[in-house]
């Protein structure tokens, strides 16, 4: 198997659909499916990148549409404000205007959609904002793909490897937040 081995069109589609699942087990399941059908690591990585670009093309208009509609509908305005507060809390530990490394870290640690909204809040427009978000997500993909494949090699069972990786993906971040000491907020005079 070469790094660029792709498999059939149905293999590409099946793996792409799993990669497009925004949360949960789509990533480890897609990695294991791609491996089982002979897809090379480079082809798998390119396909994941394409799924991120499709996400950007879908999510960006959604952000803009909700912002526009929130001017007219009170419920959406409250939802927008709650989301803005959530984003502000996410980026607060990185300063008032996080830099590129921090934005990549946000996308790595949370998800590309949060990374993009943090980049938007920091003043970055479509191309640069999504570049930071996708870069962080690609780093996350590399960690999850390598972990999934290594665990699959140890266990010899793709189902359990995917379940364990999914549980770790969803369980470790809350544990880190629980045990991390919050930074004291700077006093405003």
């Amino acid at each position: 198997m070469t790094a660029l081995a792709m498999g059939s069109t149905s293999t590409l589609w099946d793996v792409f659909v799993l990669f497009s699942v925004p949360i949960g087990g789509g990533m480890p399941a897609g990695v294991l499916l791609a491996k089982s059908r002979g897809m090379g690591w480079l082809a798998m990585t390119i396909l994941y990148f394409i799924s991120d670009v499709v996400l950007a093309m879908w999510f960006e208009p959604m952000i803009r549409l909700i912002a526009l509609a929130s001017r007219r509908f009170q419920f959406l305005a409250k939802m927008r404000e709650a989301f803005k507060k959530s984003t502000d809390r996410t980026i607060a530990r990185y300063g008032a205007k996080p830099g590129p490394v921090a934005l990549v870290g946000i996308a790595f640690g949370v998800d590309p959609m949060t990374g993009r909204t943090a980049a938007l809040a920091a003043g970055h427009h479509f191309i640069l904002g999504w570049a930071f978000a996708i870069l962080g997500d690609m780093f996350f993909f590399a960690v999850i793909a390598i972990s999934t494949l290594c665990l699959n090699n140890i266990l010899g069972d793709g189902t359990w490897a995917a379940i364990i990786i999914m549980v770790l993906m969803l369980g470790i971040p809350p544990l880190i937040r629980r045990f991390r000491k919050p930074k004291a907020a700077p006093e405003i005079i």
Side-chain angles (χ1 to χ4, degrees), residues 33-106:
L33 179 65
K35 180 184 180 251
S36 73
R37 294 197 182 166
M39 184 180 286
W41 67 268
L42 186 56
M44 189 186 326
T45 304
I46 291 168
L47 193 59
Y48 189 79
F49 174 77
I50 292 168
S51 77
D52 271 355
V53 171
V54 169
L55 172 70
M57 296 300 176
W58 173 84
F59 189 72
E60 189 74 18
M62 187 76 76
I63 293 173
R64 304 296 178 166
L65 185 62
I66 289 173
L68 184 64
S70 67
R71 294 180 188 153
R72 183 174 175 142
F73 299 103
Q74 186 64 28
F75 168 76
L76 289 176
K78 288 180 182 180
M79 192 170 83
R80 183 189 72 202
E81 285 305 311
F83 192 71
K84 184 179 181 327
K85 287 179 184 177
S86 173
T87 301
D88 289 345
R89 277 193 309 261
T90 300
I91 66 174
R93 71 180 65 129
Y94 303 103
K97 194 171 182 182
V101 174
L103 293 171
V104 169
I106 290 169

Side-chain angles (χ1 to χ4, degrees), residues 17-186:
V17 168
L18 285 171
F19 283 165
S20 297
V21 174
I23 58 171
M27 196 182 300
V31 167
L32 291 171
L33 179 65
K35 180 184 180 251
S36 73
R37 294 197 182 166
M39 184 180 286
W41 67 268
L42 186 56
M44 189 186 326
T45 304
I46 291 168
L47 193 59
Y48 189 79
F49 174 77
I50 292 168
S51 77
D52 271 355
V53 171
V54 169
L55 172 70
M57 296 300 176
W58 173 84
F59 189 72
E60 189 74 18
M62 187 76 76
I63 293 173
R64 304 296 178 166
L65 185 62
I66 289 173
L68 184 64
S70 67
R71 294 180 188 153
R72 183 174 175 142
F73 299 103
Q74 186 64 28
F75 168 76
L76 289 176
K78 288 180 182 180
M79 192 170 83
R80 183 189 72 202
E81 285 305 311
F83 192 71
K84 184 179 181 327
K85 287 179 184 177
S86 173
T87 301
D88 289 345
R89 277 193 309 261
T90 300
I91 66 174
R93 71 180 65 129
Y94 303 103
K97 194 171 182 182
V101 174
L103 293 171
V104 169
I106 290 169
F108 176 86
V110 185
D111 61 55
M113 292 145 319
T114 303
R116 169 57 186 134
T117 54
L120 184 62
H124 298 287
H125 295 289
F126 181 77
I127 299 291
L128 197 54
W130 274 108
F132 296 141
I134 290 173
L135 181 61
D137 196 42
M138 292 304 295
F139 284 135
F140 186 71
F141 172 75
V143 169
I144 296 302
I146 292 167
S147 301
T148 301
L149 293 172
C150 289
L151 188 58
N152 183 46
N153 286 339
I154 292 168
L155 297 176
D157 184 349
T159 302
W160 278 108
I163 289 170
I164 290 168
I165 294 297
M166 184 180 71
V167 167
L168 292 173
M169 284 170 46
L170 298 174
I172 289 176
L175 287 174
I176 291 172
R177 284 191 296 271
R178 183 173 184 188
F179 293 111
R180 181 189 303 158
K181 291 183 180 180
K183 289 184 178 179

